[in-house]
């Protein structure tokens, strides 16, 4: 499960975290991100349009690898998995969700905040984790501290990651990618400002 997830997260340095209010925005938004060099996205289950948005992107933007985020319980996990999306993401973990994730053969990026949570997920074979909320926890210094006692877990830090600190996170050995909403904020999406989103994506995706 972790290997399949690593293969996905190695495709791009940044995973845009998206809140899509109107399903009609999904395809132009995904196209804007792919054009900017960020083909791996996380559509959060925070809006009623989220699952329709995922469906449209999977049908119409073949170059995009779609994950579903903000999965908080086994019921949401089941709904997300049933879409056929490439991977799932949670902000944290509960015992029920952990059992359901490990019973599924589906790439999953589970959220962790403390060293004990990191170790709990690791004990269940989840070797790639979302550190959340990364900047508030202490940012790069926190990740460096984890690397000492737990060198074999790799992270996708998310929460407070921006254009200013993304490179510092990405320079760490135990960081595979970073996630965040700053590439495609709700304001930019609601305004349909696809050009600005492509520009923000291109700034972090490296030379085309
Ligand atoms: C998430 O769900 O991963 C976070 O809301 C993203 O955090 P950010 O808004 O600070 O990027």
């Amino acid at each position: 499960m972790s290997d399949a997830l690593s293969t996905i997260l190695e495709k791009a340095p940044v995973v845009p975290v998206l809140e899509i209010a109107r399903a009609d925005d999904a395809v132009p938004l995904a196209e804007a991100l792919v054009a900017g060099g960020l083909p791996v996205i996380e559509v959060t289950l925070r809006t009623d349009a989220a699952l329709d948005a995922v469906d449209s992107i999977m049908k119409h933007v073949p170059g995009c690898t779609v994950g579903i985020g903000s999965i908080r319980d086994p019921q949401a996990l089941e709904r997300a998995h049933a879409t056929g999306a490439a991977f799932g993401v949670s902000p944290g973990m509960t015992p029920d969700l952990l059992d359901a994730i490990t019973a599924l053969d589906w790439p999953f990026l589970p959220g962790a905040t403390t060293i004990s949570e990191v170790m709990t997920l690791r004990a269940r074979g989840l070797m790639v984790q979302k550190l959340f909320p990364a900047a508030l926890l202490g940012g790069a210094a926190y990740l460096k501290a984890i690397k000492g006692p737990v060198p074999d877990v790799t992270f996708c830090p998310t929460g407070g990651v921006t254009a200013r600190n993304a490179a510092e996170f990405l320079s760490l050995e135990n960081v595979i990618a970073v996630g965040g909403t700053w590439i495609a904020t709700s304001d930019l999406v609601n305004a349909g400002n696809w050009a600005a989103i492509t520009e923000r994506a291109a700034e972090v995706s490296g030379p085309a």
Side-chain angles (χ1 to χ4, degrees):
M1 197 194 303
S2 294
D3 287 351
L5 182 66
S6 296
T7 303
I8 291 170
L9 295 179
E10 276 161 4
K11 289 185 191 181
V14 178
V15 179
V17 176
L18 309 171
E19 262 184 50
I20 304 177
R22 294 180 305 239
D24 285 353
D25 288 335
V27 168
L29 171 57
E31 284 173 344
L33 291 165
V34 172
L38 298 182
V40 181
I41 66 173
E42 175 189 330
V43 176
T44 60
L45 289 179
R46 294 180 203 157
T47 63
D48 293 341
L51 292 181
D52 286 341
V54 167
D55 193 53
S56 299
I57 297 168
M58 288 190 334
K59 278 197 186 108
H60 302 293
V61 194
C64 190
T65 301
V66 190
I68 299 185
S70 303
I71 294 174
R72 290 170 297 218
D73 52 53
Q75 294 73 28
L77 177 73
E78 204 175 306
R79 280 199 305 279
H81 180 245
T83 63
F87 64 104
V89 186
S90 66
M93 197 46 61
T94 68
D96 283 356
L97 184 58
L98 186 50
D99 285 346
I101 287 165
T102 47
L104 266 191
D105 185 21
W106 192 41
F108 200 91
L109 180 66
T113 295
T114 66
I115 190 76
S116 296
E117 290 163 3
V118 169
M119 289 166 60
T120 299
L121 296 175
R122 178 183 178 279
R124 300 289 285 265
L126 295 160
M127 306 303 284
V128 184
Q129 303 175 11
K130 164 170 166 159
L131 185 75
F132 180 78
L136 289 173
L137 292 169
Y142 192 81
L143 282 150
K144 279 185 198 158
I146 294 175
K147 176 127 173 67
V150 191
D152 54 357
V153 173
T154 313
F155 295 94
C156 180
T158 307
V161 181
T162 64
R164 271 201 313 280
N165 60 13
E168 187 185 12
F169 279 115
L170 288 165
S171 71
L172 301 175
E173 275 176 34
N174 56 347
V175 168
I176 187 167
V178 299
T181 55
W182 90 95
I183 302 279
T185 61
S186 296
D187 284 353
L188 288 177
V189 175
N190 291 336
N193 196 343
W194 315 129
I197 289 171
T198 296
E199 201 173 305
R200 286 192 185 188
E203 276 166 16
V204 293
S205 66

